């Protein structure tokens, strides 16, 4: 099997770390792994297949002999370095929001629109969608294919790990401080996140929505390749470490009963149906954490419209929502589209 030189940009972050783990677990055909990060991470080493690899500083000439670069850096690094990497001949799979809505950049969830990967030749960049969008479209697509979707109303319950390692620490330290009856520190979020719920993810826009909410609206249409799907979202931070949960209300164009939905989701790729309310069985963030599947349950009729359903969708935001989806794109890329 052909092997590839792979770089991970943002290697020391929560998603970068997981990317390395997923590459290892899934035995991605790596010839050489290059770990890139800002100069702050110099001196760190990370292990890959039992070997310690030094973290190198991300520079313009970092991509000379790289075939595939998985980007998950902080700030606006992708905006500058993804085109540089692409120009030096590698395919970039970018986990940030920088290029997702660029018409010349495919936005891919392999279970939904793998074929779009072919468009990587346009700019050398493939975008990995927002975590909350990924798990929602994985659950929507099998239903959409049978009954079309007119409208989606989604509310999310998002883990702090989405914001990165510093947010995981912030929740941990606030919980410890509260138990010790000490004052809490707030650096990452504008309000205390421990024992609280914040209706605020990413920054606010003129229209009153947050960027995170508008990502769900716009990215869903692009991935599902249907601009007619109406989506409205409320994205909320909850004091959970790993795993985003979503309440998803769907209005279909034609009949979609809970039984039909359960049958379809049972055999859908990347989905695990967890739906037996009489036994208190439904998807839970704590159980989704560390897993690859998108878990769906609480499927029930919304009888306020002609063809409506409600469901509860949970996935590990760092795995399916980020690192795993990126590596799945890389797998399909090397198998079919390079
Ligand atoms: O990828 O949870 O667009 O704070 C940015 C916000 C990922 C989640 C993205 C968060 C998101 C992140």
């Amino acid at each position: 099997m052909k092997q590839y030189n792979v770089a991970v940009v943002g290697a020391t972050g929560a998603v970068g770390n997981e990317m390395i783990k997923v590459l290892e677990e899934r035995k991605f055909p790596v010839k050489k792994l290059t770990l890139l990060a800002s100069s702050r991470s110099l001196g760190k080493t990370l292990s890959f297949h039992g070997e310690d690899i030094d973290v190198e500083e991300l520079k313009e000439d970092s991509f000379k002999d790289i075939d595939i670069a998985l980007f998950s850096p902080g700030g606006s690094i992708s905006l500058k370095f993804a085109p540089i990497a692409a120009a030096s001949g590698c395919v970039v799979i970018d986990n940030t929001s920088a290029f997702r809505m660029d018409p010349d950049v495919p936005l891919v969830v392999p279970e939904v629109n793998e074929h779009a990967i072919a468009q990587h030749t346009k700019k050398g960049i493939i975008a990995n969608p927002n975590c909350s969008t990924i798990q929602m479209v994985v659950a929507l697509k099998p239903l959409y294919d049978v009954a079309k979707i007119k409208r989606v109303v989604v509310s999310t319950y998002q883990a702090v790990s989405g914001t990165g390692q510093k947010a995981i620490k912030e929740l941990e330290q606030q919980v410890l401080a509260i138990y010790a009856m000490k004052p809490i520190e707030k650096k990452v979020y504008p309000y205390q996140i421990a024992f609280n719920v914040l209706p605020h993810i990413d920054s606010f826009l003129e229209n009153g929505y947050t960027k995170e909410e508008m990502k769900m609206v716009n990215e869903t249409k692009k991935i599902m390749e249907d601009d007619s799907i109406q989506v409205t979202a409320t994205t909320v931070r909850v004091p959970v470490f790993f795993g985003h949960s979503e309440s998803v209300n769907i209005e279909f164009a034609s009949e979609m009963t809970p039984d039909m939905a359960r049958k379809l989701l049972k055999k859908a790729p990347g989905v695990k149906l967890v739906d037996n309310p009489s036994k208190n069985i439904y998807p839970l963030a704590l159980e989704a954490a560390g897993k690859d599947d998108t878990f769906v349950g609480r499927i029930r009729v919304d009888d306020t419209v002609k063809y409506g359903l409600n469901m509860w969708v949970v996935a590990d935001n760092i795995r399916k929502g980020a690192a795993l989806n990126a590596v799945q794109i890389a797998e399909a890329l090397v198998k079919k589209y390079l």
Side-chain angles (χ1 to χ4, degrees):
M1 190 197 253
K2 197 172 173 231
Q3 293 199 308
Y4 301 87
N5 288 338
V6 177
V8 175
V9 179
T12 55
V15 173
N17 251 299
E18 198 72 20
M19 283 171 164
I20 299 165
K21 249 173 68 185
V22 175
L23 287 168
E24 181 175 315
E25 278 172 25
R26 296 174 71 93
K27 302 191 171 64
F28 189 82
V30 178
K31 194 191 301 165
K32 178 169 176 259
L33 184 67
T34 301
L35 303 181
L36 300 167
S38 74
S39 56
R40 271 171 296 141
S41 292
L42 280 178
K44 287 193 186 161
T45 63
L46 295 167
S47 140
F48 181 63
H49 286 300
E51 185 196 339
D52 284 335
I53 302 179
D54 291 330
V55 176
E56 298 170 42
E57 184 177 354
L58 171 65
K59 291 197 182 127
E60 311 207 347
D61 65 358
S62 295
F63 300 95
K64 282 212 171 93
D65 51 25
I66 305 293
D67 303 306
I68 299 167
L70 304 178
F71 270 64
S72 189
S76 51
I77 300 293
S78 287
L79 223 37
K80 175 177 174 198
F81 281 95
I84 291 174
S88 80
C90 70
V91 180
V92 173
I93 301 170
D94 180 37
N95 189 51
T96 74
S97 58
F99 299 98
R100 288 180 188 148
M101 296 313 295
D102 183 326
D104 292 331
V105 172
L107 182 65
V108 178
V109 177
E111 291 88 341
V112 179
N113 65 335
E114 189 204 88
H115 62 93
I117 293 174
Q119 309 291 309
H120 76 84
T121 49
K122 288 187 176 163
K123 276 201 171 161
I125 302 173
I126 302 167
N128 203 50
N130 168 262
C131 38
S132 299
T133 310
I134 292 177
Q135 67 183 67
M136 183 169 81
V137 297
V138 165
L140 289 180
K141 174 69 166 151
L143 312 181
Y144 175 91
D145 285 343
V146 170
K148 285 264 299 223
I149 291 173
K150 287 180 33 185
R151 179 167 181 259
V152 176
V153 181
V154 56
S155 299
T156 68
Y157 305 67
Q158 298 186 217
V160 297
S161 52
T163 319
Q165 241 133 30
K166 53 193 189 314
I168 296 175
K169 245 195 206 116
E170 179 149 306
L171 173 57
E172 225 165 61
Q173 288 177 342
Q174 286 182 358
V175 170
L176 291 174
I178 289 161
Y179 277 114
M181 294 197 280
K182 288 191 179 135
I184 62 139
E185 273 186 55
K186 289 175 299 213
K187 284 190 216 134
V188 177
Y189 299 121
Y191 297 98
Q192 176 182 322
I193 181 61
F195 309 106
N196 207 359
V197 171
L198 312 179
H200 173 190
I201 294 178
D202 208 335
S203 43
F204 281 97
L205 298 163
E206 291 265 291
N207 65 0
Y209 286 79
T210 61
K211 279 190 184 166
E212 186 79 350
E213 287 159 351
M214 295 315 295
K215 286 176 223 165
M216 293 194 79
V217 173
N218 297 320
E219 293 179 22
T220 299
K221 297 178 199 222
K222 180 166 175 178
I223 301 162
M224 305 275 286
E225 297 171 352
D226 184 347
D227 277 336
S228 76
I229 304 177
Q230 308 225 59
V231 181
T232 188
T234 304
T235 57
V236 179
R237 185 83 58 197
V238 293
V240 165
F241 287 108
F242 295 97
H244 289 356
S245 305
E246 300 177 342
S247 157
V248 186
N249 173 267
I250 315 154
E251 183 181 354
F252 294 92
S254 63
E255 186 183 42
M256 178 56 64
T257 64
D259 273 344
M260 289 166 70
R262 279 188 210 104
K263 256 192 213 112
L264 291 164
L265 289 165
K266 214 168 182 160
K267 56 173 198 210
V271 173
K272 185 135 199 279
L273 184 69
V274 183
D275 196 14
N276 190 352
S278 68
K279 296 214 162 93
N280 293 348
I281 289 175
Y282 34 73
L284 293 171
L286 274 183
E287 276 171 23
K291 310 251 171 66
D292 288 349
D293 285 319
T294 294
F295 298 85
V296 186
R298 296 293 323 276
I299 299 171
R300 60 210 193 275
V301 174
D302 168 13
D303 64 8
T304 66
V305 293
K306 191 155 182 215
Y307 304 117
L309 286 184
N310 278 303
M311 60 189 194
W312 183 248
V313 179
V314 182
D316 185 322
N317 53 301
I318 297 297
R319 285 184 78 88
K320 185 55 189 166
L324 170 66
N325 197 71
V327 173
Q328 287 176 313
I329 292 172
E331 289 170 349
L333 175 74
V334 303
K335 259 190 217 125
K336 300 191 207 162
Y337 303 96
L338 266 191

